[in-house]
C-alpha cells in the first residue's frame, strides 16, 4: 500500500498534540471537504437516534443531545472541529483554493443547519421537554429555553411552503455574506501606493518609512509601498504633508468595493438587507431589527434609539466644537504658509476635507498636549507589551502564560501559549497572530478553535482561544513598535480572550463569548481602560534601546489627552449604529441607491460635510457579514457598561484582586448561563447608568438614566455559535 493510501485524515482521529490542539502542519486542503461531509453525515445520524428514541423525551436524551454531541466516550463533534479550523483560517490565512471551497460548502452547511432546525419530529421532542421539564438548574433551564426558542426563531412552526422559502433565504444569505468578505479582502489587498520620490515622504516618521521600504523590498520593488492595511494607512494619513497623496489614499480606502468590477458590493449589500427583512417577516416580525433585538439587552428598536439619541444629545455639541477647533488651526497654519505671498487674503483655501482630518487633528493634539503616537512607539515594543498584558492578567487573576514551541501554529508569525490558572492547573491554549499579511482580513478579532464545556464524565474541557490582529510589523532595523492605539486594540481583543479562557459552563453553547451581542463587548472594552492608567504603563513601557521607563511627564500627557476628540469619536460610532439600524428597520423592499441612502441614514450624527462618491456600507463587514446586523449599537451599549464597571475598580484600586475575582466569577466565567443584566447586577450591585461614561469622557453628566431602560421585558437568552469578536 503506498504512502498516500495509508495517510489518514487528521480530523478523523485523535490529534495527538498538546491539549488536542489542531495539527496545522498535518492538515491539507483535501482533508477539509472529506471531514465536512463526514461531519454532516454523523450529525444526521445523531439526530435520527434522538428522534427515534422510544423513551419519553427528557432534558438529557433530547436537549443535551441536540446541543452537545460529545458523549465522553471518544466521540467528538467532527463538524465543529473541522469548521473551527477551516473558517478561522479563511479569515486569518486564506487562499484562492480555500475561498472556492467555502463557496462550494456554504449551501451544504446552511441546508444541513436548516434540516435540523426544521425537523418536525425533533421539534416535537423539544417542545415536550419544554412543556414538562422538572427540577432543572438555572443553566439547564437557560439551555432549554435557548434551544426551544432557537427552533422557533428558525422557522419550526412555519408551513411547508414557508419553510422552503426560509431555506432559500438562508442559503442565499450565507453565500452572499461569504462573497461580501471575499470581495472586501481582494479589494483591500489590490491597491498599493508606490512611491519612488523621497520628497513625497515629507512629514512621515521614520517608522512609517521603514515599514513602507520593507514592503517594497518584499515585493522586489524600489522605493516605498503603502497599503490600505491599518499600520500603513493610518500613519500616512496622520503625518504626510502631501495633501494630494492623502486624498488619493483616502479615496482608495473609502471607495473599496465601489468600483465597477467583480468586487463591487453594492448589489450584494442591497440583497442582504432584503433577504434579512424577508426572513424576519416570514417569522412574524415587522423588521429584521425587531427579530434580532428580541434577544438583546436593549430590548427593542426603541431601546436602541433611546441610547443613540442620548449620546447625540450629550456628545454632538462637544464634537462640533472639536472639529471647529481643528478647522481654526488648519486655517491658521495655511494662512501662515501663504503669508509670504503678495495677497495672502486672496488665496483660495480648500475646506477641511476628510483626508485633512487626521493630519490636522494630530497638529492640534501636538499643540495642546505635545503628544503623539510616534513619541510613544519606542516605549511600546511588542514583546514588552505582551509581557505587560500578560502581567496584567496575572496581577488581576493570577493566571500565567508560557510560550510553547510544541503547539503547532498555522503561520510562523503566530505564537502559541499554554495558560495556567492561579493554582497551577491548565486553563487554556492561547494563540496570538499579530501582523498583517496577504491572506489575512483587516481589523482585529478573537475566536476559538475549541470552546469550553464539561463532558458527561465531569471532565472540564478547556478552550483553545485565538486573537488575530494587524499591528505594526518589525523591520530589518527595528522590532515591532506599537502605537498606543494598537496597545488598546491588543487589550480589547485580550479582553475577549479572557472571557473565553475563564469560561466555566457545563454546555459549550452557553460558555465564554456565547452571550447576547450587546453584552459581548463588555469584557473587551473594559480592558481598554488600562491603556491610560499610569500604574499599568509603568509595568511594561520601557524604551526598546535604553531600557528607560516611559517618563512620568509623557504618562501625564497621555492621561490629559485621553479625551482628545472623544466626542467626535463617539459620534462616529453612533453614525455607524444609525446606518445599521436604518437598513434593518425597513418594512418594505429596499431598492434605493445605497450611497445616497447611507448619507441620509447617519446625517443626524455627522459633524463634517459628506462626500457623495464614497461608501461605508459596501465594506461594513460587521453588519453585512460579521454578525452585527441590527447590533452595531452594541459597542456603545457595552461602553456604558465598561465605564460603569471600571468605576468599581477605580474605587477599590485598578489591580484589586477581590474586585477582579468578582468580575471573573460573575461576568467572565458565566458566559450566557443567565440573563446578562442579572450577571452584571451581581457584580456591580446595581444597574448601570450613562453617567460613568460621560464623566470618563469629560462630558457634563445628566441625571442618570438606566443604560438598559426600555419598555420591553427581557426574557430567555439566545446564544450563538462561536463567533468573531471585533
Amino acid at each position: 500500500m503506498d504512502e498516500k493510501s495509508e495517510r489518514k485524515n487528521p480530523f478523523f482521529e485523535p490529534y495527538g498534540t498538546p491539549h488536542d490542539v489542531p495539527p496545522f502542519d498535518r492538515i491539507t486542503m483535501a482533508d477539509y471537504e472529506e471531514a465536512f461531509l463526514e461531519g454532516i453525515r454523523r450529525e444526521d445520524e445523531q439526530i435520527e437516534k434522538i428522534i427515534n428514541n422510544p423513551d419519553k423525551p427528557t432534558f438529557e436524551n433530547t436537549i443535551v443531545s441536540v446541543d452537545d454531541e460529545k458523549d465522553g466516550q471518544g466521540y467528538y463533534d467532527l463538524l465543529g472541529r473541522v469548521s473551527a479550523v477551516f473558517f478561522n483560517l479563511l479569515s486569518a490565512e486564506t487562499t484562492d483554493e480555500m475561498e472556492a471551497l467555502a463557496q462550494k460548502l456554504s449551501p451544504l452547511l446552511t441546508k444541513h443547519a436548516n434540516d435540523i432546525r426544521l425537523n418536525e419530529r425533533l421539534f416535537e421532542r423539544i417542545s415536550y421537554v419544554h412543556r414538562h421539564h422538572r427540577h432543572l438548574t438555572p443553566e439547564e433551564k437557560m439551555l432549554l429555553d435557548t434551544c426551544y426558542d432557537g427552533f422557533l426563531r428558525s422557522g419550526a412552526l412555519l408551513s411547508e411552503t414557508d419553510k422552503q422559502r426560509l431555506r432559500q433565504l438562508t442559503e442565499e444569505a450565507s453565500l452572499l455574506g461569504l462573497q461580501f468578505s471575499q470581495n472586501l479582502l481582494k479589494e483591500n489587498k489590490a491597491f498599493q501606493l508606490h512611491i519612488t520620490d523621497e520628497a513625497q515622504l515629507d512629514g512621515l516618521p521614520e517608522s512609517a518609512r521603514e515599514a513602507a521600504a520593507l514592503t517594497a523590498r518584499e515585493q522586489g520593488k524600489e522605493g516605498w509601498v503603502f497599503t490600505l492595511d491599518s499600520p500603513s494607512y493610518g500613519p500616512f494619513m496622520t503625518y504626510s504633508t502631501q495633501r494630494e497623496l492623502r486624498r488619493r489614499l483616502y479615496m482608495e480606502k473609502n471607495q473599496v468595493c465601489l468600483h465597477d468590477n467583480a468586487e463591487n458590493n453594492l448589489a450584494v449589500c442591497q440583497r442582504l438587507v432584503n433577504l434579512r427583512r424577508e426572513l424576519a417577516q416570514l417569522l412574524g416580525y415587522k423588521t429584521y431589527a425587531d427579530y434580532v433585538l428580541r434577544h438583546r439587552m436593549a430590548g427593542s428598536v426603541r431601546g436602541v434609539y433611546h441610547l443613540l439619541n442620548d449620546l447625540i444629545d450629550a456628545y454632538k455639541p462637544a464634537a462640533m466644537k472639536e472639529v471647529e477647533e481643528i478647522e481654526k488651526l488648519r486655517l491658521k497654519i495655511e494662512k501662515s504658509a501663504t503669508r509670504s505671498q503678495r495677497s495672502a487674503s486672496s488665496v483660495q483655501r480648500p475646506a477641511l476635507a476628510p483626508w485633512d482630518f487626521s493630519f490636522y487633528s494630530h497638529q492640534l493634539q501636538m499643540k495642546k498636549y505635545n503628544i503623539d503616537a510616534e513619541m510613544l512607539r519606542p516605549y511600546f515594543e511588542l514583546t514588552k507589551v505582551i509581557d505587560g498584558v500578560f502581567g496584567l492578567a496575572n496581577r488581576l487573576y493570577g493566571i500565567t502564560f508560557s510560550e510553547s514551541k510544541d503547539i503547532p501554529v498555522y503561520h510562523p508569525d503566530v505564537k502559541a501559549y499554554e495558560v495556567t490558572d492561579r493554582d497551577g492547573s491548565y486553563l487554556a491554549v492561547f494563540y496570538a497572530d499579530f501582523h498583517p499579511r496577504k491572506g489575512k482580513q483587516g481589523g482585529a478579532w478573537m475566536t476559538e478553535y475549541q470552546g469550553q464545556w464539561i463532558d458527561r464524565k465531569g471532565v472540564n474541557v478547556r478552550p483553545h482561544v485565538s486573537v488575530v490582529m494587524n499591528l505594526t510589523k518589525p523591520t530589518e532595523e527595528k522590532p515591532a513598535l506599537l502605537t498606543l492605539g494598537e496597545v488598546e486594540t491588543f487589550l480589547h481583543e485580550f479582553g475577549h480572550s479572557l472571557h473565553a479562557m475563564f469560561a466555566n459552563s457545563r454546555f459549550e453553547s452557553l460558555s465564554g463569548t456565547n452571550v447576547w451581542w450587546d453584552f459581548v463587548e463588555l469584557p473587551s472594552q473594559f480592558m481598554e481602560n488600562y491603556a491610560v492608567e499610569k500604574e499599568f504603563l509603568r509595568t511594561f513601557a520601557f524604551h526598546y534601546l535604553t531600557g528607560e521607563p516611559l517618563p512620568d511627564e509623557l504618562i501625564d500627557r497621555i492621561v490629559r489627552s485621553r479625551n482628545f476628540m472623544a466626542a467626535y469619536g463617539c459620534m462616529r460610532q453612533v453614525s455607524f449604529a444609525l446606518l445599521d439600524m436604518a437598513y434593518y428597520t425597513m418594512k418594505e423592499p429596499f431598492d434605493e441607491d445605497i450611497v445616497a441612502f447611507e448619507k441620509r441614514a447617519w446625517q443626524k450624527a455627522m459633524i463634517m460635510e459628506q462626500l457623495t462618491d464614497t461608501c461605508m456600507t459596501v465594506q461594513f463587514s460587521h453588519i453585512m457579514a460579521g454578525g452585527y446586523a441590527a447590533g452595531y449599537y452594541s459597542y456603545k451599549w457595552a461602553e456604558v457598561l465598561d465605564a460603569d464597571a471600571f468605576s468599581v475598580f477605580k474605587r477599590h484600586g485598578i489591580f484589586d484582586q477581590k474586585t477582579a475575582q468578582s468580575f471573573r466569577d460573575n461576568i467572565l466565567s458565566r458566559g450566557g448561563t443567565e440573563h446578562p443584566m442579572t450577571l452584571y447586577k451581581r457584580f456591580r450591585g446595581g444597574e448601570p447608568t450613562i453617567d460613568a461614561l460621560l464623566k470618563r469622557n469629560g462630558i457634563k453628566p445628566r441625571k442618570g438614566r438606566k443604560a438598559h431602560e426600555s419598555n420591553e421585558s427581557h426574557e430567555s437568552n439566545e446564544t450563538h455559535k462561536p463567533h468573531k469578536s471585533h
Side-chain angles (χ1 to χ4, degrees):
M1 191 176 291
D2 61 30
E3 182 179 343
K4 184 175 180 181
S5 61
E6 289 181 353
R7 182 184 180 279
K8 294 182 179 179
N9 188 317
F11 291 114
F12 288 5
E13 57 188 355
Y15 284 153
T17 54
H19 306 297
D20 201 40
V21 298
F24 296 108
D25 52 337
R26 301 204 311 266
I27 297 171
T28 68
M29 274 300 304
D31 297 324
Y32 289 119
E33 185 170 7
E34 182 184 26
F36 271 111
L37 295 177
E38 174 61 14
I40 289 172
R41 188 198 67 76
R42 289 189 189 183
E43 280 199 0
D44 288 341
E45 184 179 82
Q46 179 75 1
I47 295 299
E48 284 299 309
K49 288 181 180 178
I50 295 171
I51 63 178
N52 291 318
N53 187 339
D55 296 337
K56 182 176 68 175
T58 66
F59 179 80
E60 290 295 331
N61 71 20
T62 300
I63 306 302
V64 174
S65 295
V66 170
D67 178 73
D68 185 357
E69 296 84 4
K70 311 168 189 70
D71 63 7
Q73 305 296 324
Y75 180 88
Y76 59 87
D77 177 8
L78 174 60
L79 187 57
R81 175 187 264 200
V82 65
S83 294
V85 174
F86 180 79
F87 287 108
N88 284 336
L89 294 189
L90 192 66
S91 296
E93 186 64 12
T94 193
T95 64
D96 290 343
E97 197 174 2
M98 289 187 76
E99 291 183 358
L101 181 57
Q103 290 280 355
K104 179 179 180 181
L105 292 171
S106 178
L108 297 178
L109 293 170
T110 305
K111 178 182 181 302
H112 173 63
N114 283 332
D115 286 345
I116 294 175
R117 292 290 191 172
L118 299 176
N119 188 308
E120 291 185 12
R121 294 174 63 196
L122 181 59
F123 183 61
E124 286 174 4
R125 290 184 66 92
I126 293 170
S127 297
Y128 182 90
V129 178
H130 194 256
R131 291 193 306 271
H132 298 96
H133 70 273
R134 297 286 187 276
H135 310 302
L136 298 181
T137 67
E139 183 175 347
E140 290 170 341
K141 179 64 164 59
M142 181 64 79
L143 180 66
L144 173 58
D145 289 342
T146 299
C147 185
Y148 176 76
D149 198 60
F151 271 74
L152 287 181
R153 289 168 61 81
S154 296
L157 296 181
L158 294 178
S159 67
E160 284 305 314
T161 299
D162 286 344
K163 284 181 179 179
Q164 184 58 36
R165 181 57 183 154
L166 183 139
R167 287 176 180 274
Q168 294 169 351
L169 294 172
T170 53
E171 289 178 16
E172 185 180 355
S174 177
L175 275 173
L176 284 176
L178 189 59
Q179 183 183 340
F180 177 97
S181 297
Q182 292 177 351
N183 288 347
L184 182 58
L185 177 62
K186 290 175 182 176
E187 278 274 277
N188 269 317
K189 300 301 181 182
F191 174 78
Q192 294 183 341
L193 176 62
H194 184 201
I195 292 176
T196 55
D197 181 0
E198 190 169 2
Q200 293 186 318
L201 302 178
D202 185 54
L204 293 179
E206 184 180 0
S207 61
R209 296 179 184 221
E210 290 176 350
L214 176 62
T215 302
R217 284 195 296 273
E218 289 174 344
Q219 298 179 9
K221 296 178 179 178
E222 297 293 327
W224 302 265
V225 169
F226 296 88
T227 71
L228 299 182
D229 292 327
S230 295
S232 180
Y233 176 83
F236 196 95
M237 299 303 295
T238 300
Y239 295 101
S240 174
T241 63
Q242 307 298 294
R243 190 171 192 263
E244 177 55 30
L245 290 182
R246 293 202 311 268
R247 185 200 67 79
R248 181 183 173 193
L249 202 59
Y250 178 89
M251 294 304 294
E252 290 290 346
K253 180 76 169 177
N254 288 275
Q255 290 181 333
V256 162
C257 293
L258 200 59
H259 302 112
D260 185 15
N261 58 21
E263 284 72 51
N264 186 296
N265 268 339
L266 286 170
V268 173
C269 293
Q270 186 176 80
R271 184 61 183 149
L272 279 169
V273 169
N274 280 318
L275 285 170
R276 289 166 180 157
R277 174 195 52 76
E278 186 178 347
L279 181 143
Q281 292 174 344
L282 191 65
L283 293 169
Y285 296 86
K286 293 180 180 178
T287 70
Y288 188 72
D290 290 312
Y291 168 74
V292 168
L293 293 166
R294 170 72 172 74
H295 290 285
R296 297 291 189 272
M297 293 178 76
S300 67
V301 171
R302 179 181 177 183
V304 173
Y305 278 119
H306 198 160
L307 172 69
L308 298 180
N309 287 328
D310 272 0
L311 292 172
I312 291 172
D313 290 344
Y315 284 83
K316 190 171 183 178
M320 293 176 70
K321 290 180 180 178
E322 289 172 348
V323 174
E324 287 172 6
E325 197 172 6
I326 292 174
E327 175 67 349
K328 287 179 182 178
L329 179 64
R330 181 189 71 87
L331 290 173
K332 182 178 179 180
I333 291 173
E334 293 187 354
K335 184 176 181 180
S336 175
T338 59
R339 192 168 291 156
S340 60
Q341 297 181 20
R342 193 169 198 178
S343 179
S345 61
S346 66
V347 175
Q348 183 68 36
R349 282 181 285 274
L352 181 68
W355 47 86
D356 296 324
F357 188 84
S358 294
F359 180 78
Y360 285 106
S361 64
H362 167 251
Q363 301 288 322
L364 180 61
Q365 185 179 30
M366 288 294 294
K367 179 182 178 183
K368 296 181 71 167
Y369 305 105
N370 192 26
I371 190 79
D372 83 340
E374 293 305 309
M375 289 181 185
L376 303 175
R377 269 193 201 273
Y379 299 95
F380 295 146
E381 196 269 311
L382 178 57
T383 59
K384 295 296 185 184
V385 174
I386 295 171
D387 291 343
V389 173
F390 288 172
L392 175 60
N394 178 263
R395 195 164 178 178
L396 290 173
Y397 307 109
I399 63 176
T400 304
F401 292 75
S402 302
E403 186 173 1
S404 173
K405 300 296 184 181
D406 296 327
I407 295 175
V409 293
Y410 56 85
H411 189 277
D413 283 354
V414 181
K415 295 180 182 294
Y417 300 86
E418 186 176 85
V419 189
T420 52
D421 211 338
R422 189 188 298 275
D423 62 1
S425 62
Y426 163 64
L427 185 67
V429 168
F430 176 74
Y431 300 96
D433 184 353
F434 292 107
H435 305 299
R437 55 180 175 269
K438 182 180 179 181
K440 185 196 267 192
Q441 291 279 4
W445 62 91
M446 165 266 158
T447 188
E448 296 174 333
Y449 287 92
Q450 175 175 287
Q452 177 273 334
W453 76 92
I454 298 174
D455 71 18
R456 295 176 191 266
K457 290 184 176 181
V459 175
N460 195 323
V461 179
R462 301 308 305 165
H464 306 154
V465 181
S466 177
V467 163
V468 187
M469 295 170 284
N470 282 273
L471 306 180
T472 298
K473 296 170 62 174
T475 66
E476 295 175 355
E477 295 80 16
K478 294 178 182 177
L481 302 176
L482 308 186
T483 65
L484 180 59
E486 289 178 316
V487 174
E488 290 177 335
T489 296
F490 190 174
L491 285 166
H492 180 103
E493 301 307 332
F494 189 71
H496 282 307
S497 74
L498 290 176
H499 202 181
M501 288 188 285
F502 286 141
N504 193 31
S505 306
R506 177 183 171 189
F507 305 110
E508 185 176 6
S509 66
L510 299 179
S511 74
T513 59
N514 287 306
V515 300
W516 289 3
W517 280 43
D518 48 7
F519 192 62
V520 76
E521 296 297 335
L522 166 60
S524 55
Q525 293 182 187
F526 167 84
M527 288 296 288
E528 290 184 46
N529 287 280
Y530 284 93
V532 295
E533 290 292 331
K534 183 178 292 189
E535 291 177 86
F536 173 58
L537 291 169
R538 282 175 171 162
T539 66
F540 73 94
F542 301 96
H543 197 285
Y544 80 103
L545 289 177
T546 67
E548 291 294 315
L550 182 63
D552 284 349
E553 181 189 3
L554 274 180
I555 294 179
D556 290 340
R557 286 189 234 162
I558 291 172
V559 173
R560 289 200 309 273
S561 67
R562 176 181 188 175
N563 289 326
F564 179 70
M565 302 305 295
Y568 179 85
C570 177
M571 285 298 93
R572 184 172 182 270
Q573 288 291 88
V574 169
S575 72
F576 294 162
L578 288 174
L579 178 63
D580 174 35
M581 292 300 289
Y583 282 123
Y584 295 115
T585 53
M586 289 188 178
K587 298 178 181 178
E588 303 297 330
F590 176 54
D591 58 3
E592 296 186 51
D593 175 82
I594 280 182
V595 177
F597 178 88
E598 174 179 290
K599 309 308 179 191
R600 295 196 307 275
W602 61 20
Q603 181 60 43
K604 188 175 182 180
M606 279 293 138
I607 310 299
M608 295 176 60
E609 185 177 350
Q610 301 183 62
L611 301 181
T612 58
D613 51 353
T614 61
C615 188
M616 170 71 174
T617 300
V618 290
Q619 51 185 297
F620 202 171
S621 292
H622 282 72
I623 71 168
M624 291 298 164
Y628 280 78
Y632 194 82
Y633 77 92
S634 300
Y635 285 99
K636 299 310 296 182
W637 188 276
E639 199 172 344
V640 171
L641 296 179
D642 92 65
D644 191 70
F646 197 67
S647 70
V648 182
F649 281 78
K650 292 287 282 187
R651 186 165 65 250
H652 296 290
I654 64 170
F655 299 125
D656 183 65
Q657 292 189 0
K658 183 178 179 181
T659 305
Q661 190 63 42
S662 176
F663 194 66
R664 174 177 176 173
D665 291 343
N666 294 304
I667 304 290
L668 299 178
S669 69
R670 298 294 295 153
T673 57
E674 295 183 73
H675 190 286
M677 189 56 75
T678 301
L679 299 177
Y680 187 82
K681 287 166 63 178
R682 195 173 293 150
F683 160 71
R684 181 68 170 89
E687 297 176 349
T689 73
I690 197 173
D691 291 349
L693 176 61
L694 296 175
K695 182 179 179 180
R696 186 176 73 186
N697 289 159
I699 305 295
K700 185 178 179 180
R702 305 171 297 109
K703 288 186 177 181
R705 180 181 73 86
K706 293 174 183 178
H708 72 291
E709 188 176 298
S710 75
N711 291 330
E712 306 299 319
S713 62
H714 299 288
E715 301 180 21
S716 64
N717 189 1
E718 176 189 37
T719 55
H720 309 267
K721 297 255 183 206
H723 61 278
K724 292 179 183 178
S725 297
H726 298 269

Short mmCIF file of all heavy atoms in Angstrom, two decimals, residues 29-46:
data_model
loop_
_atom_site.label_atom_id
_atom_site.label_comp_id
_atom_site.label_asym_id
_atom_site.label_seq_id
_atom_site.Cartn_x
_atom_site.Cartn_y
_atom_site.Cartn_z
N MET A 29 -5.48 20.64 2.12
CA MET A 29 -6.74 21.10 1.53
C MET A 29 -7.70 19.95 1.31
O MET A 29 -8.91 20.08 1.49
CB MET A 29 -6.47 21.83 0.22
CG MET A 29 -6.14 23.30 0.35
SD MET A 29 -7.47 24.27 1.13
CE MET A 29 -8.85 23.90 0.05
N ALA A 30 -7.17 18.80 0.92
CA ALA A 30 -8.03 17.66 0.61
C ALA A 30 -8.77 17.15 1.85
O ALA A 30 -9.83 16.51 1.74
CB ALA A 30 -7.19 16.53 0.01
N ASP A 31 -8.24 17.44 3.04
CA ASP A 31 -8.86 16.94 4.27
C ASP A 31 -10.17 17.65 4.61
O ASP A 31 -11.06 17.06 5.22
CB ASP A 31 -7.90 17.11 5.46
CG ASP A 31 -6.62 16.29 5.30
OD1 ASP A 31 -6.72 15.18 4.75
OD2 ASP A 31 -5.55 16.77 5.72
N TYR A 32 -10.29 18.90 4.22
CA TYR A 32 -11.43 19.69 4.67
C TYR A 32 -12.76 19.15 4.15
O TYR A 32 -13.68 18.87 4.92
CB TYR A 32 -11.26 21.15 4.23
CG TYR A 32 -10.20 21.91 4.97
CD1 TYR A 32 -9.10 22.45 4.30
CD2 TYR A 32 -10.28 22.11 6.35
CE1 TYR A 32 -8.13 23.16 4.98
CE2 TYR A 32 -9.31 22.82 7.03
CZ TYR A 32 -8.23 23.35 6.34
OH TYR A 32 -7.26 24.05 7.02
N GLU A 33 -12.89 19.03 2.84
CA GLU A 33 -14.18 18.63 2.28
C GLU A 33 -14.60 17.26 2.79
O GLU A 33 -15.77 17.05 3.14
CB GLU A 33 -14.13 18.66 0.76
CG GLU A 33 -15.48 18.36 0.13
CD GLU A 33 -15.50 18.62 -1.37
OE1 GLU A 33 -14.43 18.91 -1.96
OE2 GLU A 33 -16.58 18.55 -1.97
N GLU A 34 -13.66 16.34 2.84
CA GLU A 34 -13.97 15.00 3.34
C GLU A 34 -14.50 15.06 4.77
O GLU A 34 -15.48 14.40 5.12
CB GLU A 34 -12.71 14.13 3.27
CG GLU A 34 -12.94 12.69 3.72
CD GLU A 34 -11.66 11.88 3.74
OE1 GLU A 34 -10.57 12.47 3.89
OE2 GLU A 34 -11.75 10.64 3.60
N ALA A 35 -13.86 15.88 5.61
CA ALA A 35 -14.26 15.98 7.01
C ALA A 35 -15.61 16.68 7.14
O ALA A 35 -16.44 16.31 7.99
CB ALA A 35 -13.20 16.72 7.81
N PHE A 36 -15.84 17.71 6.33
CA PHE A 36 -17.14 18.38 6.37
C PHE A 36 -18.27 17.40 6.03
O PHE A 36 -19.30 17.33 6.71
CB PHE A 36 -17.16 19.56 5.41
CG PHE A 36 -16.70 20.86 6.00
CD1 PHE A 36 -15.50 21.43 5.59
CD2 PHE A 36 -17.45 21.51 6.96
CE1 PHE A 36 -15.06 22.63 6.13
CE2 PHE A 36 -17.03 22.71 7.51
CZ PHE A 36 -15.83 23.28 7.10
N LEU A 37 -18.11 16.66 4.96
CA LEU A 37 -19.16 15.74 4.52
C LEU A 37 -19.40 14.64 5.54
O LEU A 37 -20.55 14.27 5.83
CB LEU A 37 -18.80 15.15 3.16
CG LEU A 37 -18.73 16.15 2.00
CD1 LEU A 37 -18.29 15.45 0.71
CD2 LEU A 37 -20.08 16.85 1.80
N GLU A 38 -18.33 14.11 6.12
CA GLU A 38 -18.48 13.07 7.13
C GLU A 38 -19.09 13.66 8.40
O GLU A 38 -19.91 13.02 9.08
CB GLU A 38 -17.13 12.43 7.44
CG GLU A 38 -17.14 11.42 8.59
CD GLU A 38 -18.05 10.22 8.37
OE1 GLU A 38 -18.50 10.00 7.21
OE2 GLU A 38 -18.33 9.51 9.35
N GLY A 39 -18.72 14.90 8.74
CA GLY A 39 -19.30 15.55 9.92
C GLY A 39 -20.79 15.76 9.76
O GLY A 39 -21.57 15.56 10.72
N ILE A 40 -21.23 16.16 8.58
CA ILE A 40 -22.66 16.31 8.31
C ILE A 40 -23.36 14.96 8.45
O ILE A 40 -24.43 14.85 9.06
CB ILE A 40 -22.88 16.90 6.91
CG1 ILE A 40 -22.45 18.39 6.88
CG2 ILE A 40 -24.33 16.77 6.48
CD1 ILE A 40 -22.46 19.00 5.50
N ARG A 41 -22.74 13.91 7.88
CA ARG A 41 -23.35 12.57 7.96
C ARG A 41 -23.50 12.13 9.41
O ARG A 41 -24.55 11.59 9.81
CB ARG A 41 -22.49 11.56 7.19
CG ARG A 41 -23.15 10.18 7.05
CD ARG A 41 -22.15 9.11 6.70
NE ARG A 41 -21.21 8.85 7.78
CZ ARG A 41 -21.51 8.15 8.88
NH1 ARG A 41 -22.74 7.65 9.05
NH2 ARG A 41 -20.61 7.97 9.82
N ARG A 42 -22.48 12.36 10.22
CA ARG A 42 -22.53 11.95 11.62
C ARG A 42 -23.63 12.71 12.38
O ARG A 42 -24.33 12.12 13.22
CB ARG A 42 -21.18 12.17 12.30
CG ARG A 42 -20.09 11.23 11.86
CD ARG A 42 -18.86 11.39 12.74
NE ARG A 42 -17.72 10.66 12.23
CZ ARG A 42 -16.54 10.60 12.84
NH1 ARG A 42 -16.35 11.25 13.98
NH2 ARG A 42 -15.53 9.92 12.31
N GLU A 43 -23.75 13.99 12.12
CA GLU A 43 -24.79 14.76 12.81
C GLU A 43 -26.17 14.30 12.38
O GLU A 43 -27.09 14.22 13.21
CB GLU A 43 -24.61 16.26 12.55
CG GLU A 43 -23.55 16.89 13.42
CD GLU A 43 -23.68 18.40 13.52
OE1 GLU A 43 -24.59 18.98 12.90
OE2 GLU A 43 -22.85 19.01 14.21
N ASP A 44 -26.35 14.01 11.11
CA ASP A 44 -27.63 13.48 10.65
C ASP A 44 -27.95 12.17 11.36
O ASP A 44 -29.10 11.92 11.77
CB ASP A 44 -27.60 13.25 9.13
CG ASP A 44 -27.63 14.56 8.34
OD1 ASP A 44 -28.03 15.59 8.91
OD2 ASP A 44 -27.24 14.54 7.16
N GLU A 45 -26.95 11.34 11.52
CA GLU A 45 -27.12 10.06 12.20
C GLU A 45 -27.50 10.28 13.67
O GLU A 45 -28.37 9.58 14.21
CB GLU A 45 -25.81 9.27 12.10
CG GLU A 45 -25.85 7.88 12.67
CD GLU A 45 -24.51 7.17 12.51
OE1 GLU A 45 -23.61 7.42 13.33
OE2 GLU A 45 -24.37 6.40 11.54
N GLN A 46 -26.86 11.27 14.31
CA GLN A 46 -27.16 11.57 15.70
C GLN A 46 -28.60 12.07 15.87
O GLN A 46 -29.31 11.68 16.81
CB GLN A 46 -26.18 12.63 16.21
CG GLN A 46 -26.38 13.06 17.65
CD GLN A 46 -25.90 12.01 18.64
OE1 GLN A 46 -25.40 10.95 18.26
NE2 GLN A 46 -26.07 12.30 19.93
#
